[in-house]
């Protein structure tokens, strides 16, 4: 039996806006995924360590405080440094269009802004990882 | 509160907040209950410290959200006022009428604003602001139309200000404090919300009070379950959000966005470094040591904090000492 | 950050999906102390483990944690929230935390818990902690894995939890009453009396919030371990664990064989004969048992050779 997709949902940096991340975590659980939720105020190092130890297929990063460029860039750097392969990274939150382009260049596959549905996020993950 | 009751009696000591919980996803009834439960905890603590309730309660203020359901929000403010008056009179034995009054500030709901078709947010904010005024708010914050995307620009912030000025000066709705009182619909909504909120308050009392309810993870769970239910309702279109799940337009609207000057951070760092160099380091050390010692005891910290600030101790340094003594809140996620 | 986690984590994933533990890794197990932490949901098991990690790390012991949460019976998904409480240890080289979903296995742990415990043991962790789901009184399987079982409760539990308690109490080596801070049930200054010669289950009051009682708890677990060693009970327990593990593996193998045999043409004939009243169900079981045992012999030989081949291919994990 193939295991359900395993997803890490985390918030990096000093940002307490947790509603979106939690709603996505609950939504992906109800879409049949195994979701590890590590809450707010993770350092990029903690996120990567968790992703490795949990052997997740997907990492979802959330940011609403404007710190996304610095934080997410570091996550992507560490991912490379630690030679983690085959993990899909997506992001969500309040992220200006210009930055979305930059984040995609860093290897973040998709950025879900305000108004995105759980259904769309789940479909994106399933399509990309299967 | 103890300090102000003596030293600055005209100061509104505390703003008991419900805004953040509503933004995090709770319902109107939960917003009333959780906010008042916080208020009860503050009052209880002061009373236990030996303060006379009528001495400090008149200076307590509240801070509510105003969400999109027009009549429900008006009823919410009315229900909260009624419940608080009863709590102050019956539970805490307040005699002064002012102790029973619930005065409140309102901010329109940031979480109802959409990134899609941002101009629509002006209408949303106008309606929410109107509901707050009809519900009897003492002061008001109106959000700018671009706040779902970024911090507001000067222009959008000005429009938000003008929105409430038009309500205040032109609409005439401020002529009467409770203009909808007596309407059967509003009265029954008010009763319903008060009843629901009372049930939550009883539950919290049975848990041993709001602190325990928070620490057990109950409040957190209630809020996020409500947030999840809301999201599901939006996705199945049981709730319509114009421009998001209905009345969508393909045309991508470009709006001007506030960009934060990247030089701001280094400039601030420099200012802070200069301050640290210029101030009297011995005095700073002494102030912090006094603060730490006092924090471990039961003494009122306010005069000591004022002294710290006089000697240019930073808020960060003060908080660090307090964190070291009191610990730091870690949210209890029990999902 | 530790690179070695990369290999261990992949091994755990294979084990989680029912893959076998390489023989040479199994040979390296038996050194770790295995702690089981169980008790109703919300009593603070994960928070206590967070504190235990702190304490153990200060003694320079390395810690592996397996934290189990239930799979949703409706969606098949799961929200794994235990890690959240221990996340601050993520980066510590001496700590490895893995969250698992039950995937419908009952008993408080997962199908593969023993194998994953072996993997962490072989990887060289001094202490391996298993946190169970904590939903029912039948969650006693952890006793078949752990050397020391800690049952966590809190004061003022409702009826439902009191019932769950009774089943759990039978497997408790150490009883913890957590959230002492909330209920003013302050821990006595000295820990309960216990000795390495005769084990009397201690009750320890803790607060994962303030850290109160954690040192006492660690002490009690150490003494319990000493007791197990001196009394010879450790060997007894581990023999029982081996028996339980082999039994479980055997059962799942047999179950698979039964399902497989029932699909075959022979079985179809037998079942038809029973339906036609030519055979009775007992005769059918006799015949099918022979059939299954016959095929079992053939397939197990095949399986053994293929496992050996796989094992060789796999590089050694840590140490
Ligand atoms: N006040 C208090 N709260 C605690 C304590 N231990 C855990 N909690 C809280 O209880 C809730 C459940 O804790 P958790 O460790 O997830 O429990 P588990 O479900 O048994 O793993 C969380 O909100 C914790 O913060 C404690 O000693 N005191
Ligand atoms: Mg747990």
């Amino acid at each position: 039996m193939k295991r359900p997709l395993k997803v890490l949902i985390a918030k990096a940096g000093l940002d307490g806006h947790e509603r979106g991340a939690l709603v996505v975590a609950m939504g992906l659980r109800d879409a049949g995924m195994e979701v590890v939720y590590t809450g707010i105020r993770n350092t990029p190092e903690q996120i990567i360590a968790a992703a490795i130890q949990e052997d997740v297929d997907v990492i979802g990063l959330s940011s609403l405080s404007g710190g996304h460029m610095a934080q997410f860039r570091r996550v992507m750097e560490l991912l490379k440094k630690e030679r983690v392969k085959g993990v899909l990274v997506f992001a969500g939150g309040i992220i200006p269009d210009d930055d979305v382009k930059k984040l995609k260049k860093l290897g973040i596959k998709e950025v879900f802004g305000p108004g995105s549905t759980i259904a769309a996020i789940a479909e994106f993950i399933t399509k990309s990882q299967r | 509160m103890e300090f102000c009751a003596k030293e600055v009696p005209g100061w509104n000591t505390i703003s008991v907040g419900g805004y953040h919980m509503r933004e995090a996803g709770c319902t109107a009834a939960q917003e009333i209950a959780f906010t008042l439960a916080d208020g009860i905890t503050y009052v209880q603590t002061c009373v236990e410290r030996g303060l006379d309730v009528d001495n400090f309660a008149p200076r307590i203020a509240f801070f509510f959200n105003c969400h999109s359901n027009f009549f429900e929000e008006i009823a919410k403010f009315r229900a909260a006022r009624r419940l608080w008056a009863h709590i102050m009179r019956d539970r805490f034995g307040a005699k002064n009428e002012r102790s029973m009054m619930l005065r409140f500030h309102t901010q329109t709901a940031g979480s109802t604003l959409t990134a899609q078709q941002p101009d629509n947010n002006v209408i949303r904010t106008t309606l929410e602001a109107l509901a707050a005024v009809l519900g009897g708010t003492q002061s008001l914050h109106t959000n700018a139309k671009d706040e779902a995307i970024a911090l507001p620009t000067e222009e959008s912030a000005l429009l938000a200000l003008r929105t409430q000025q038009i309500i205040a000066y032109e609409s005439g709705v401020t002529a009467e404090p409770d203009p909808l009182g007596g309407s059967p619909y509003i009265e029954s909504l008010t009763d319903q919300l008060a009843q629901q909120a009372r049930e939550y308050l009883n539950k919290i009392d049975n848990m041993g009070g709001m602190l325990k309810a928070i620490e057990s993870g109950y409040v957190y769970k209630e809020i996020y379950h409500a947030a999840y239910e809301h999201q599901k309702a939006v996705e199945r279109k049981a709730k319509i959000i114009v421009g998001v799940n209905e009345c969508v337009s393909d045309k991508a609207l470009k709006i001007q966005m506030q960009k934060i000057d990247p030089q701001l951070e280094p400039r601030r760092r420099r200012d802070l470094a200069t301050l640290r160099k210029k101030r009297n380091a011995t005095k700073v050390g002494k102030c912090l040591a006094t603060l730490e010692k006092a924090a471990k005891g039961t003494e009122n910290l306010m005069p000591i904090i004022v002294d710290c600030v006089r000697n240019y101790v930073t808020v960060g340094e003060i908080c660090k000492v307090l964190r070291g003594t009191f610990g730091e809140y870690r949210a209890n996620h029990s999902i | 950050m530790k690179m070695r986690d990369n290999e261990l984590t992949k091994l755990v994933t294979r084990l989680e999906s029912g893959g076998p533990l390489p023989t040479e890794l199994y040979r390296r197990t038996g050194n770790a102390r295995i702690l089981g932490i169980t008790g109703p949901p919300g009593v603070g098991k994960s928070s206590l483990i967070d504190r235990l990690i702190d304490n153990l790390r200060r003694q320079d012991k390395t810690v592996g944690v397996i934290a189990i949460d239930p799979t949703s019976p409706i969606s098949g998904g799961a929200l794994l929230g235990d890690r959240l409480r221990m996340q601050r240890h993520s980066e510590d080289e001496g700590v490895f935390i893995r969250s698992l979903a039950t995937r419908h296995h009952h008993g408080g742990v997962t199908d593969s818990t023993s194998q994953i415990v072996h993997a962490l043991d072989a990887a060289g962790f001094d202490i391996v902690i298993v946190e169970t789901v904590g939903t029912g009184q039948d969650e006693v399987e952890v006793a078949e894995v752990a050397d020391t079982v800690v049952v966590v409760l809190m004061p003022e539990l409702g009826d439902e939890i009191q019932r769950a308690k009774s089943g759990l109490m039978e497997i408790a080596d150490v009883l913890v009453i957590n959230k002492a801070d909330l209920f003013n049930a302050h821990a006595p200054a000295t820990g309960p009396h216990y000795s390495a010669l005769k084990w009397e289950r201690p009750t320890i009051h803790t607060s994962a919030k303030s850290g109160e009682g954690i040192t006492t708890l660690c002490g009690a677990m150490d003494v319990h371990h000493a007791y197990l060693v001196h009394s010879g009970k450790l060997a007894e327990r581990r023999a029982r664990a081996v028996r339980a593990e082999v039994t479980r593996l055997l059962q799942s193998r047999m179950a698979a064989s039964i399902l497989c045999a029932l699909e075959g043409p022979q079985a179809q004939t037998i079942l038809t004969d029973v339906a036609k009243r030519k055979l009775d169900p007992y005769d059918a079981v006799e015949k099918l048992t022979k059939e299954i045992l016959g095929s079992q012999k053939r397939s197990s030989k095949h399986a053994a050779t293929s496992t050996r081949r796989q094992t060789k291919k796999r590089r050694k994990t840590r140490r």
Side-chain angles (χ1 to χ4, degrees):
Chain A
M1 190 185 78
K2 200 152 183 192
R3 74 166 187 171
L5 282 169
K6 195 166 179 182
V7 187
L8 175 72
I9 300 284
K11 287 191 66 84
L14 286 177
D15 176 11
H17 300 93
E18 204 178 359
R19 176 177 180 169
L22 262 170
V23 164
V24 169
M26 291 190 260
L28 295 181
R29 170 200 60 198
D30 291 345
M33 300 179 199
E34 290 180 355
V35 184
V36 181
Y37 183 70
T38 59
I40 58 173
R41 293 207 202 160
N42 290 269
T43 63
E45 285 77 7
Q46 284 174 336
I47 293 175
I48 294 303
I52 293 173
Q53 291 174 18
E54 299 291 351
D55 196 20
V56 295
D57 307 296
V58 183
I59 302 175
L61 301 169
S62 155
S63 169
L64 287 87
S65 66
H68 49 268
M69 283 316 296
Q71 297 285 344
F72 295 179
R73 180 180 291 126
R74 180 91 185 118
V75 169
M76 297 312 283
E77 280 167 9
L78 286 168
L79 212 54
K80 234 182 242 145
K81 181 169 159 251
E82 299 295 330
R83 277 174 272 163
V84 182
K85 299 210 179 73
V87 175
L88 171 79
V89 183
F90 74 96
I94 308 287
I95 296 171
D97 288 347
D98 292 350
D99 290 349
V100 169
K101 279 181 213 130
K102 288 183 207 152
L103 290 176
K104 285 193 173 166
K105 266 203 199 111
L106 292 174
I108 292 181
K109 280 282 162 350
E110 192 54 85
V111 178
F112 292 93
S116 305
T117 61
I118 293 168
I121 297 172
E123 192 190 314
F124 162 77
I125 293 175
T126 318
K127 273 205 180 132
S128 315
Q129 272 312 54
R130 279 281 144 93
Chain B
M1 291 165 88
E2 182 185 53
F3 175 84
C4 290
K6 272 193 234 121
E7 311 289 341
V8 222
W11 178 260
N12 291 322
T13 51
I14 192 166
S15 178
V16 184
Y19 185 84
H20 59 299
M21 296 187 271
R22 191 68 187 277
E23 286 294 287
C26 76
T27 64
Q30 286 170 342
E31 184 189 354
I32 304 174
F34 297 161
T35 311
L36 297 192
D38 281 349
I40 289 170
T41 310
Y42 292 124
V43 174
Q44 184 72 37
T45 310
C46 288
V47 168
E48 276 164 17
R49 233 183 122 84
L51 271 67
D52 174 11
V53 69
D54 286 324
N55 206 358
F56 65 88
R59 283 293 164 196
I60 295 175
F62 288 81
F63 173 22
F64 287 109
N65 196 299
C66 195
H67 226 262
S68 49
N69 190 327
F70 195 76
F71 290 130
E72 183 179 66
E73 291 302 290
I74 295 169
K76 177 185 84 181
F77 299 122
R78 303 181 79 246
R81 261 202 304 272
R82 186 192 293 167
L83 286 171
W84 187 246
H86 289 169
I87 288 167
M88 291 309 289
R89 190 190 62 199
D90 304 339
R91 186 192 276 237
F92 292 110
K95 304 262 175 335
N96 184 346
E97 254 184 28
R98 297 199 70 87
S99 300
M100 303 172 208
M101 287 180 185
L102 180 144
R103 300 169 308 139
F104 65 101
H105 172 74
T106 305
Q107 182 175 346
T108 57
S111 61
T112 61
L113 303 186
T114 64
Q116 295 79 4
Q117 307 176 22
D119 284 346
N120 295 351
N121 292 330
V122 179
I123 323 299
R124 291 192 178 98
T125 297
T126 308
L127 284 167
E128 290 165 6
L130 182 60
V133 174
L134 296 177
T137 192
Q138 267 72 30
S139 64
L140 185 61
H141 173 139
T142 37
N143 293 325
K145 62 176 185 172
D146 46 2
E147 289 192 53
I149 308 162
L151 293 176
T153 59
E154 286 214 9
E155 197 190 340
S156 68
L158 186 64
L159 178 59
L161 176 64
R162 295 291 179 252
T163 305
Q164 58 168 294
Q165 286 165 333
I166 291 170
I167 295 174
Y169 298 124
E170 298 181 12
S171 73
V173 293
T174 56
E176 166 66 36
D178 184 22
L180 300 183
S183 140
Y185 180 60
I186 292 290
E187 292 297 345
S188 98
L189 262 184
T190 305
D191 290 345
Q192 273 172 39
L193 279 171
Q195 183 52 32
Q196 287 165 16
R198 217 177 281 122
E199 277 160 22
Y200 278 114
L201 282 167
N202 287 339
K203 211 181 222 168
I204 290 166
D205 277 340
N206 288 335
M207 290 179 178
M210 190 57 166
L211 278 177
K212 284 184 182 170
I214 291 171
E215 283 182 347
S216 73
Y218 166 77
V219 176
Y220 188 91
K221 200 169 175 173
E222 286 290 316
I223 293 173
Y224 285 106
H225 278 269
Y228 188 38
E229 289 310 315
H230 171 81
Q231 178 65 25
K232 286 197 285 192
V234 170
E235 293 198 17
R236 29 163 228 278
K237 295 195 183 182
K239 280 196 178 132
I240 299 300
I241 299 176
V242 172
V244 174
N245 64 357
E246 277 295 353
C247 322
V248 186
S249 68
D250 314 327
K251 229 180 10 183
L253 278 171
K254 274 261 174 245
I255 67 160
Q256 200 198 341
M257 243 171 39
Q258 168 82 288
K259 282 247 162 71
I260 304 298
D261 176 4
Q263 283 311 303
L264 214 58
E265 187 193 335
R267 219 182 301 143
R268 270 290 174 205
R269 280 180 188 279
R270 270 200 305 278
D271 291 352
L272 192 63
T274 318
L275 175 90
R276 287 207 163 112
K277 238 183 262 154
K278 277 195 347 214
R279 66 189 182 177
N280 183 333
T282 338
K283 271 194 184 159
V284 168
K286 239 194 231 152
C287 282
L288 285 172
T290 316
L291 179 66
E292 185 167 7
K293 188 152 163 272
K296 291 201 170 104
T298 57
E299 187 183 347
N300 194 307
L301 296 182
M302 211 53 207
I304 299 165
I305 292 174
V306 171
D307 208 40
C308 284
V309 174
R310 280 211 176 99
N311 287 297
Y312 295 102
V313 178
T314 66
V315 174
E317 289 162 336
I318 293 171
C319 289
K320 194 169 168 202
V321 165
L322 297 182
R323 265 200 299 271
T325 314
F326 301 141
E328 201 175 350
Y329 174 69
R330 278 168 80 193
N332 282 339
H333 317 60
S334 7
I335 311 166
Chain C
M1 205 181 300
K2 48 210 150 147
M3 287 307 300
R4 53 176 193 169
D5 281 359
N6 283 332
E7 281 172 83
L8 177 59
T9 201
K10 292 293 174 194
L11 172 65
V12 173
T13 303
R14 284 194 295 273
L15 297 174
E16 196 189 0
S17 316
L21 182 80
T23 317
E24 74 256 25
L25 282 186
Y26 184 71
R27 292 225 177 88
R28 276 196 256 147
T29 61
N31 303 314
R33 272 173 59 189
I34 325 263
L35 306 176
I37 312 278
T38 187
V43 294
K45 298 181 292 297
S46 307
S47 313
L48 274 174
I49 294 173
D50 174 64
R51 289 284 187 175
L52 289 179
I53 297 174
D54 245 1
N55 197 297
L56 293 166
R57 291 302 291 144
R58 258 184 272 124
Q59 303 170 39
D60 230 16
K61 295 203 169 100
T62 54
V63 190
V65 179
I66 302 170
I68 304 163
D69 271 325
T71 290
S72 151
I74 301 157
S75 74
L79 202 48
L80 309 171
D82 297 323
R83 185 183 194 95
L84 177 65
R85 313 226 183 270
M86 317 168 196
Q87 179 67 345
R88 66 185 168 128
H89 300 292
S90 270
E91 275 181 86
D92 182 342
E93 304 243 344
V95 178
F96 184 96
I97 302 165
R98 180 62 171 260
S99 319
L100 300 175
T102 53
R103 302 197 183 151
H104 310 301
H105 180 88
H106 297 286
V109 293
T110 70
D111 262 342
S112 52
T113 299
S114 331
Q115 281 74 35
I116 296 173
V117 168
H118 293 326
L120 296 179
D121 184 349
F125 288 102
D126 299 317
I127 310 278
V128 175
I129 303 179
V130 179
E131 178 184 341
T132 73
V133 177
T135 42
Q137 57 175 323
D138 57 336
E139 291 191 357
V140 292
E141 263 181 37
V142 67
E144 293 171 356
V145 182
D147 300 330
T148 300
V149 175
V150 178
V151 170
V152 186
L153 301 171
M154 56 190 225
E156 303 181 16
L157 288 176
D159 286 350
E160 191 186 331
I161 294 170
Q162 293 297 346
R163 264 201 307 284
K165 206 169 86 168
S166 58
L168 286 178
M169 291 306 255
E170 285 168 29
I171 60 165
D173 297 308
V174 175
L175 184 63
V176 166
I177 312 290
N178 189 40
K179 306 204 186 184
D181 58 291
L182 277 185
F183 299 94
N184 299 322
H186 282 290
T190 57
H193 293 286
Y194 35 72
S195 82
L197 296 174
K198 182 168 174 298
W199 189 250
E200 276 174 49
R201 182 178 65 212
T203 300
I204 298 167
H205 291 264
T206 61
S207 164
K209 192 177 171 213
S210 71
E212 193 180 358
I214 304 296
T215 315
T216 315
L217 173 58
C218 283
M221 294 192 305
D222 286 345
V223 180
H224 184 251
H225 185 72
Y227 158 77
L228 290 176
V229 173
H230 292 310
S231 63
K233 292 269 195 248
L234 186 64
E236 227 173 81
R237 277 199 189 205
R238 293 205 165 167
R240 225 167 52 206
V242 164
R243 190 192 156 95
E245 182 178 357
V246 171
T247 308
R248 250 195 328 272
L249 289 171
L250 198 58
Q251 278 168 345
S252 64
R253 165 71 75 84
M254 289 300 169
S257 306
I258 291 170
L259 288 180
C260 181
L262 285 174
E263 293 299 313
Q266 188 97 22
Q268 286 312 317
T269 326
I270 294 173
L271 291 178
T272 316
D273 286 350
V274 177
K276 287 186 182 150
R277 303 301 189 266
K278 281 195 206 156
L279 268 180
D280 72 31
Y282 298 95
D283 292 335
V285 168
E286 278 303 319
K287 281 184 183 242
L288 283 168
T289 308
K290 279 199 192 107
E291 160 86 13
I292 291 164
L293 289 179
S295 71
Q296 193 73 74
K297 250 179 232 155
R298 291 192 297 275
S299 75
S300 63
K301 253 188 212 151
H302 172 74
T305 48
S306 79
T307 312
R308 223 170 293 138
R309 234 180 292 126
Q310 272 178 14
T311 313
K312 268 192 199 146
K313 263 196 286 184
R314 222 167 258 148
R315 284 200 341 85
K316 283 186 193 169
T317 11
R318 48 176 95 189
R319 280 208 176 162

